[in-house]
Amino acid sequence: MATVELRNISKVYEDGTQAVNNVNLTVHDKEFVVFVGPSGCGKTTTLRMIAGLEEISGGDLTIDEKRVNDIPPKDRDIAMVFQNYALYPHMSVYNNMAFSLKIRKLPKGEIDKRVKEAAKILDIETLLNRKPKALSGGERQRVAVGRAIVRQPKVFLFDEPLSNLDAKLRVQMRAEIAALHNRLQATMIYVTHDQVEAMTMGDRIVVMKDGVIQQIGGPLHLYNHPENLFVAGFIGSPPMNFFPATVIEESGGLLEADEGGFRIGVPASAAALLKSREGQNIVFGIRPEDLVLAEKEEDLKTFRAVIRVVEPLGSEIHLYAKTGEQSLIARVPPHRSFKVGETVSFSPNPDKLIFFDPETGKSLFTRGSSD
């Protein structure tokens, strides 16, 4: 397998649109890296430049320490799995998987060996004589992955391969792809708009917005230590709650929620760092699971909110509520029932607060367990 390195990679289209801006990233040998972000963020364009399907406007791309900017896709020793599977409808599963090997004129015995080994890995041995139209979505996806495996490439590229599957099958297939990575010990680059896929599959995650990398890190690091408001809001489901607030000094560090109409205390370490911002506006974030239902109200430790929507999910309940003009989401245990219009009290975990500059969006410092 191989290392993939992107140095100052950019993509500008003829109309002047900059799809990717100065991307720098090293994907290490045998690593599973996931690009994630909203539609139009540049993640698929970046993947297509790695594959050779998009021309690189600026920067250098190397695979296995070899510059490949001007090398055609067929000579880059990569294999790509597409969102729409891209199977030949008139060919059997066997011939779909064998096609690229036949083009390369490998011996028939070697082709047969590779196809059957891949089919065994993916548990599609009984499907080899079927045509794609006789397969389910999940089976077609396995065939598409199998077609990539038989090539034994240096790098596997996945372009939103699970988007067309139903929710249950997506969960199953992402586990299978993660297990496949562990088995093959291959270099894999995976693109998705689904942050849950990114969190559960990647060794490292690359979060993109507007063609720019926002943060790179392991799943737990991004979750606990987001570097800006965008990453904090994008990673995590349900998303993080944000409260505009003013720093005040009154018997220690306090935050006054500008729209929520409540005050909360902050830990001593955070208070010391926020002291220089007394009287200034900040934004603090708190994850839904860190808003704890309070049995009794205590000054500076709790605030009241009115429930607007209740989502019972079996193992947990999501409460969509409002405090003052501020909306919030809380993830609570299913220990009791809740009603729309009911007023409840929450106690934020002070050690899980994350503080942001409202102008730059950057994190001031983070709280939470290390990872």
Side-chain angles (χ1 to χ4, degrees):
M1 296 303 162
T3 297
V4 178
E5 189 166 2
L6 293 80
R7 304 190 197 108
N8 305 312
I9 293 293
S10 296
K11 176 64 182 181
V12 182
Y13 289 104
E14 292 182 358
D15 63 0
T17 301
Q18 181 142 29
V20 177
N21 185 9
N22 198 38
V23 165
N24 288 278
L25 172 69
T26 298
V27 180
H28 302 291
D29 185 29
K30 302 178 183 179
E31 188 176 25
F32 195 137
V33 167
V34 179
F35 282 81
V36 68
S39 297
C41 72
K43 58 188 184 295
T44 294
T45 303
T46 302
L47 190 79
R48 290 174 62 84
M49 285 192 286
I50 296 171
L53 302 176
E54 287 278 1
E55 184 179 346
I56 296 172
S57 303
D60 292 311
L61 173 66
T62 64
I63 298 176
D64 201 14
E65 300 183 350
K66 179 181 179 180
R67 188 177 184 273
V68 298
N69 288 46
D70 303 315
I71 294 177
K74 65 183 180 64
D75 298 325
R76 294 193 181 192
D77 203 3
I78 56 96
M80 192 162 180
V81 180
F82 296 91
Q83 178 179 348
N84 61 358
Y85 318 135
L87 302 177
Y88 297 108
H90 63 288
M91 291 185 183
S92 67
V93 167
Y94 184 99
N95 287 328
N96 263 284
M97 293 172 65
F99 183 75
S100 64
L101 304 183
K102 291 178 180 178
I103 294 295
R104 291 160 59 184
K105 298 183 178 179
L106 266 65
K108 287 185 178 180
E110 178 66 15
I111 292 173
D112 189 66
K113 178 184 174 183
R114 290 195 190 186
V115 170
K116 289 180 177 176
E117 284 180 351
K120 184 176 181 180
I121 289 172
L122 296 166
D123 195 23
I124 55 173
E125 294 169 286
T126 60
L127 307 179
L128 291 177
N129 294 323
R130 295 188 190 179
K131 298 284 181 65
K133 65 181 180 181
L135 304 178
S136 68
E139 289 168 343
R140 292 179 190 180
Q141 188 56 267
R142 286 189 179 89
V143 175
V145 173
R147 188 175 53 187
I149 291 174
V150 299
R151 296 185 59 184
Q152 299 179 357
K154 289 182 178 178
V155 182
F156 288 85
L157 306 178
F158 295 85
D159 184 15
E160 303 207 39
L162 309 184
S163 321
N164 294 333
L165 304 181
D166 62 55
K168 183 178 180 180
L169 195 51
R170 279 203 306 271
V171 173
Q172 178 184 340
M173 283 301 301
R174 75 185 187 217
E176 290 184 7
I177 291 175
L180 181 66
H181 173 253
N182 291 331
R183 179 167 182 170
L184 298 180
Q185 287 295 289
T187 303
M188 292 185 175
I189 303 174
Y190 188 104
V191 161
T192 181
H193 64 275
D194 185 339
Q195 57 91 23
V196 175
E197 275 185 30
M199 291 285 288
T200 55
M201 298 177 72
D203 297 325
R204 283 192 300 157
I205 300 172
V206 180
V207 184
M208 293 189 72
K209 177 191 177 188
D210 299 332
V212 177
I213 291 178
Q214 301 295 307
Q215 189 173 352
I216 303 171
L220 291 180
H221 183 79
L222 293 183
Y223 191 81
N224 291 320
H225 306 290
E227 292 181 359
N228 58 45
L229 281 165
F230 176 78
V231 175
F234 192 84
I235 298 295
S237 181
M240 180 179 283
N241 297 294
F242 297 113
F243 294 85
T246 303
V247 179
I248 59 176
E249 190 67 19
E250 181 182 304
S251 302
L254 292 173
L255 292 176
E256 184 169 68
D258 298 337
E259 297 176 6
F262 63 89
R263 293 183 177 186
I264 61 170
V266 298
S269 57
L273 291 168
L274 288 172
K275 189 172 183 179
S276 63
R277 291 179 171 262
E278 184 177 350
Q280 297 180 20
N281 295 328
I282 67 165
V283 173
F284 73 87
I286 186 81
R287 297 269 179 207
E289 65 269 25
D290 296 320
L291 283 175
V292 182
L293 285 169
E295 294 182 3
K296 59 180 181 178
E297 293 185 37
E298 301 178 42
D299 290 341
L300 307 182
K301 291 184 180 180
T302 62
F303 64 88
R304 294 165 64 83
V306 179
I307 297 174
R308 304 180 68 186
V309 177
V310 179
E311 285 186 347
L313 300 177
S315 61
E316 62 188 22
I317 297 174
H318 293 175
L319 299 178
Y320 293 76
K322 198 166 186 179
T323 175
E325 297 300 315
Q326 181 68 45
S327 297
L328 62 91
I329 307 172
R331 190 163 71 184
V332 301
H335 294 160
R336 72 175 182 89
S337 59
F338 298 89
K339 295 180 180 180
V340 173
E342 178 183 352
T343 299
V344 293
S345 294
F346 292 106
S347 177
N349 182 343
D351 291 322
K352 295 295 185 178
L353 296 174
I354 303 180
F355 306 95
F356 302 91
D357 186 306
E359 294 183 3
T360 66
K362 293 183 178 180
S363 172
L364 300 178
F365 54 96
T366 58
R367 307 286 300 171
S369 59
S370 63
D371 33 73

